[in-house]
Amino acid sequence: MNKYQCFLFLVTLLHTPIGAAQSDDETAIRAAINKYFAAFSEAKAQNLQDVFLPEMQMIGNVRGKPWILQDDKLAEGLKTRAPETLKTRVYFIDITHNAAMAKVNNVNVETGTAYTDYLFFLKVQNEWKIAHKGYTLFKQTVTPELP
């Protein structure tokens, strides 16, 4: 095999999808992400219960200090909040068998409060559920191309 053939082989290999199941899984994960953020934009606590594992835990850096929230405390807090206008962008989803990681940025359009979320998913009983969320909170100016 000459260098040109070797190069073409590597390019083809790198651009070949792993399988159709991965795209189905990615679609399901994106749907869970959309439902998660719809909980805030529509103030629907039920959405959180639909996408979280019961043992789900969140930890974030809020004003330089760790802030930990477990189980359904987020859903309880959401019941008293008004709907928010959010701009959301999924940076990546990385899937390995029945586990996945997604990096998502979302900005509250009215306040400029922004979060970068690292969502860890597990596929349980053929459904992708958020098992853990790590995040950071900051201010971000919203422009038409952001996030």
Side-chain angles (χ1 to χ4, degrees):
M1 185 181 294
N2 66 33
K3 288 181 184 178
Y4 180 72
Q5 288 172 322
C6 185
F7 174 75
L8 286 178
F9 172 75
L10 288 174
V11 168
T12 302
L13 181 66
L14 291 174
H15 290 284
T16 302
I18 293 173
Q22 181 133 334
S23 68
D24 291 344
D25 285 336
E26 184 172 337
T27 299
I29 290 168
R30 285 183 183 276
I33 291 169
N34 290 336
K35 192 166 194 172
Y36 170 68
F37 287 110
F40 297 95
S41 62
E42 300 168 10
K44 288 187 177 177
Q46 179 61 43
N47 283 12
L48 299 180
Q49 295 165 348
D50 292 346
V51 297
F52 286 164
L53 283 177
E55 303 81 20
M56 184 275 204
Q57 181 184 43
M58 291 181 9
I59 185 165
N61 185 338
V62 178
R63 293 181 273 293
K65 296 181 182 175
W67 190 77
I68 299 171
L69 195 63
Q70 293 179 315
D71 300 319
D72 59 354
K73 300 284 190 264
L74 181 62
E76 288 175 21
L78 187 60
K79 291 176 184 176
T80 61
R81 292 170 63 169
E84 302 175 9
T85 303
L86 300 174
K87 288 187 84 172
T88 303
R89 178 179 178 192
V90 177
Y91 286 102
F92 70 80
I93 297 173
D94 183 11
I95 304 168
T96 305
H97 304 293
N98 60 1
M101 175 68 72
K103 178 180 179 183
V104 184
N105 178 258
N106 67 87
V107 182
N108 180 310
V109 174
E110 288 89 18
T111 66
T113 301
Y115 296 87
T116 296
D117 293 342
Y118 297 90
L119 303 172
F120 177 68
F121 288 84
L122 291 175
K123 192 172 188 180
V124 177
Q125 296 177 342
N126 213 30
E127 285 189 89
W128 286 100
K129 300 284 188 173
I130 299 171
H132 183 80
K133 172 184 166 177
Y135 67 96
T136 186
L137 167 70
F138 54 96
K139 288 288 186 181
Q140 181 174 337
T141 303
V142 179
T143 62
E145 64 276 352
L146 287 178

